[in-house]
Amino acid sequence: MSIAPSIQVTEDGQAFRAAPEARPDDRFATLDELVAGARDAIADDGLWDFLEGGAGDEQTLADNRAAFARLRLRPRLMSGIGVPSLETTFFGIELGVPILTSPFGAEGQFHPEGHLAVARANAVAGAASIVPEASTFSLEDIAAAAPRAARIMQLHPMGSERTVAWMIGRAAAAGYGAICFTCDCPTAGWRERNLRNRFDVDLAAVSGNYPPDGEVGLEEVFGQLFRRDEPIWTWERLAAVAAEGGLPWMAKGVLTAEDALAAAHAGARAVLVSNHGGRQLDGAPASLSQLPEIARALEGGAVEIALDSGVRRGADVIKALALGADAVVVGRLAAYALAAGGERGVARMHELLREEMITIMSLVGRERIADLDRSMLQAP
Ligand SMILES: Cc1cc2nc3c(=O)[nH]c(=O)nc-3n(C[C@H](O)[C@H](O)[C@H](O)COP(=O)(O)O)c2cc1C
């Protein structure tokens, strides 16, 4: 995997940025045009299907979008509000926009700068990165690409406790403030597009944290996704490793009140309501549909809530926040933006999301993120 010319790697292996801050790529007038730009940039149909596709019949993938489309926003007139502010805090992080980018792995296949570019664009936009364990780049290089940016490290609670603890230590040393444990992926989902296409992820694209000459091998960490021969971890095992690691953590993949409470009991400070973008259990409900159940279960406690799966525009972010999320995570949307235009593409995504959110907040008469609530929503 080659590193783009604007990135230089120092002798100790740290990547840094040589070029000045990238301007948003205004060739793309809408978020849809970023998707079209990604399609143009990704020549390999198998790779495109890997990005686009979901598990099984892709019912959950479709439901994620349908759930957003069903919700209606109630306009409010003559509100007297000024320019809406998108600033908020989530998980102890001060955000300029209520948005984080999701940990999408193998991202160097979409653009050679991968999460280095995403992290830099996020830093400028005031968004935070959830950096994937299966990134093309090491967590240290991504931290160095945007040193002042807020970042959370995603890990799989899988394999040996020793390796997970070692990765938490690496993340803490590189300045990551928190861990996001992906709990819905103890085995890879049944993704038929990949089977039909005979598509395999390029191992170099997922080995940033586990290089061939490194301390821990790729097979040791991710082999279980396909071998399926070890017991799935429990909340107790996760709680013990997380407590020893000492960083605050969130559980990714929560879709039920039962699991939200179990995660809270295990010590999670936040849950990420997610069905992995429809890529894991087909037939699982849309994340947005589960948000009220989870918000109710966690009401009155200190556990915060983020949501991903199906977010494709600013209106979706607003709807999720109104329904009880504290922050929203964008997955494929950020991957499309990255593929379409690298750092400038992701910067453009943030710009378009921001403008749309401000427009909507003006039309529903809400000045601050904290003002968004269920009274502005109407089911058809
Ligand atoms: C290409 C791709 C790779 C992904 N890799 C990971 C991963 O390594 N770890 C993880 O927790 N989630 C992974 N995800 C899931 C995302 O983090 C996120 O949950 C999902 O994309 C949200 O749905 P959306 O794409 O509809 O926004 C991946 C998603 C995509 C599209």
Side-chain angles (χ1 to χ4, degrees), residues 187-222:
T187 181
W190 189 252
R191 307 203 189 139
E192 294 198 349
R193 291 204 212 194
N194 297 350
L195 295 171
R196 247 178 260 127
N197 290 326
R198 279 92 182 145
F199 177 82
D200 279 320
V201 169
D202 174 2
L203 290 186
V206 294
S207 62
N209 285 308
Y210 304 103
D213 55 352
E215 209 167 304
V216 176
L218 203 57
E219 160 62 27
E220 189 182 326
V221 182
F222 296 127

Side-chain angles (χ1 to χ4, degrees), residues 163-303:
T163 303
V164 177
W166 175 67
M167 285 298 285
I168 297 174
R170 270 179 71 179
Y176 288 71
I179 303 291
C180 169
F181 286 108
T182 294
C183 299
D184 63 358
C185 194
T187 181
W190 189 252
R191 307 203 189 139
E192 294 198 349
R193 291 204 212 194
N194 297 350
L195 295 171
R196 247 178 260 127
N197 290 326
R198 279 92 182 145
F199 177 82
D200 279 320
V201 169
D202 174 2
L203 290 186
V206 294
S207 62
N209 285 308
Y210 304 103
D213 55 352
E215 209 167 304
V216 176
L218 203 57
E219 160 62 27
E220 189 182 326
V221 182
F222 296 127
Q224 178 59 16
L225 289 175
F226 306 98
R227 281 200 319 269
R228 311 166 198 269
D229 60 359
E230 287 172 21
I232 290 169
W233 273 38
T234 59
W235 289 112
E236 289 72 24
R237 278 179 83 175
L238 175 55
V241 176
E244 204 186 303
L247 289 181
W249 61 279
M250 69 166 86
K252 177 173 186 280
V254 171
L255 283 178
T256 61
E258 298 91 299
D259 278 331
L261 292 170
H265 185 69
R269 292 253 305 270
V271 295
L272 174 44
V273 181
S274 167
N275 54 37
H276 216 105
R279 297 164 78 82
Q280 285 299 103
L281 177 63
D282 193 37
S287 315
L288 190 75
S289 309
Q290 296 311 100
L291 191 49
E293 166 178 331
I294 289 164
R296 249 191 327 272
L298 297 175
E299 205 170 351
V303 177

Side-chain angles (χ1 to χ4, degrees), residues 1-10 13-16 111-114 116 120 136-138 141:
M1 179 62 48
S2 69
I3 293 177
S6 66
I7 305 299
Q8 306 200 350
V9 177
T10 59
Q14 302 270 298
F16 68 88
H111 188 278
E113 292 182 16
L116 302 177
R120 280 194 235 104
T136 310
F137 295 92
S138 72
D141 281 354

Side-chain angles (χ1 to χ4, degrees), residues 118-166:
V118 176
R120 280 194 235 104
N122 283 352
V124 174
S129 301
I130 309 180
V131 170
E133 181 173 19
S135 174
T136 310
F137 295 92
S138 72
L139 64 93
E140 290 85 1
D141 281 354
I142 295 168
R148 283 174 302 280
R151 50 190 173 264
I152 296 169
M153 183 65 206
Q154 176 262 321
L155 296 174
H156 291 87
M158 198 168 67
S160 81
E161 269 89 349
R162 236 185 77 227
T163 303
V164 177
W166 175 67

